[in-house]
Every structure is written in structure tokens, then in C-alpha cells.
Amino acid sequence: MALAQRFTYTIEDIYALPDGQRAELIDGQIYDMSPPSKTHQKISGSLFAEIHNYIRKKKGNCEIFAAPFAVFINDDERNYLEPDISVICNPSKLDEKGCHGAPDWVIEILSPGTVRIDCGIKLFKYRSAGVREYWTVNPKLQTVSVYDFEHDEKTEQYSFDDDIPVCIYEDLIIRISDLL
């Protein structure tokens, strides 16, 4: 008896979705995305502004992008992500369609429907693809988990009131409660 074949989707299927429907593609499986909450947007916008201003002030070569921004994480046809915030320091990875390969720093803001994906599937995907630093921001618990994949793969957990050091920038510290 033959095993049931699992249908595998491609980026072409993502682009064929109806206007306004957002989804991500991980290893050929589509994960629908619901609209972000007000709190999610407030945190995302504040973090984006803080990081953007830091890069600009330092005249850095990295670029920051907010969702929806396409990240072709493995630069293949079976993976397409839209991280809440992506920082890319290698301009050769960027074109008009998005980022081809791993961003240097990814931030995902958790919602009740994304915890399993952001803290499990995406955590593994980002680490194995070569993301240097990954943050998961939990508005409900007011915590931030920082994964430093570049140095020693350690994980640190912070509250919104803590000074959170950014691993890819030695002199950037973010306190989320100061941004909100």
C-alpha cells in the first residue's frame, strides 16, 4: 500500500493568493497569517524606528525592513517568510523582491496564533539558514527571548523593563518599555 503524498506548495502559490491574504511558506507548507493587533503594530513600529535611527546615526551599511517584506530564507522555491523586522547587512542579498538568504537579525512579535511557529519551526529555520540573531517578543508576557546564533547559540530572556543588548551591534541596547 502506497503512503499518502503530502502536497508541497511553492512560492508561486504564495504569489497566487488573493489580494490581502498573507501567508508564509516553510518547507513547502503554507501558514496563514492573521492581521496584527494594535499592540503588535505599536511594538513593531517602535522597534523599527529605534533600530533604523541607530543604523542611520552610525552610518551603518545594514538595512532594516518591516513586514510585509519577503525573505526567501533558503533562496529556494519552498520557503518564503515575512518577519516582523529584518536587518540585512549584505547588500548582495537584496533586490526588489526582497532578501535572498538569511537576514542578519530577525525579530518576530508573538501573537497567540503564532507562538508555536515563531518559537519552534521558525526558530529552527532561522538558525539553520544562518541568521545571526533572532528575537521573539511576547507582548502578553512582556518578555523578549534573544537567540545569539553567531557567538554561542545561547538564549537569554529579558523583560520589557530590562536593557537588552543587541548581539550584532556592540553598542546598541534597547529597553522596550522606553519605546512604548
Side-chain angles (χ1 to χ4, degrees), residues 5 27 64-65 89 102 108 112 119 137-138 143:
Q5 293 280 325
D27 295 327
I64 183 171
F65 299 92
C89 300
E108 294 282 10
C119 297
V137 179
N138 189 325
T143 59

Side-chain angles (χ1 to χ4, degrees), residues 1-64:
M1 179 162 101
L3 293 174
Q5 293 280 325
R6 188 175 94 160
F7 190 78
T8 300
Y9 295 94
T10 67
I11 291 171
E12 187 176 309
D13 296 306
I14 292 289
Y15 284 120
L17 292 173
D19 285 345
Q21 183 178 347
R22 290 183 54 214
E24 293 181 306
L25 179 69
I26 303 172
D27 295 327
Q29 295 303 300
I30 290 181
Y31 296 87
D32 290 324
M33 299 169 67
S34 58
S37 69
K38 179 185 90 169
T39 301
H40 180 286
Q41 289 299 83
K42 189 173 181 181
I43 293 169
S44 179
S46 298
L47 281 170
F48 180 92
E50 183 78 5
I51 298 163
H52 178 267
N53 290 339
Y54 170 85
I55 293 170
R56 199 166 167 205
K57 180 179 169 189
K58 294 289 186 172
K59 297 181 177 22
N61 64 338
C62 300
E63 291 190 61
I64 183 171

Side-chain angles (χ1 to χ4, degrees), residues 118-130:
D118 291 339
C119 297
I121 296 169
K122 285 186 186 179
L123 172 65
F124 175 77
K125 182 59 70 181
Y126 289 138
R127 182 178 63 213
S128 63

Side-chain angles (χ1 to χ4, degrees), residues 69 72 88-95 98-104 129-130:
F69 179 74
F72 306 97
I88 297 108
C89 300
N90 181 346
S92 70
K93 291 182 178 182
L94 296 168
D95 67 15
C99 175
H100 299 269
D104 293 270

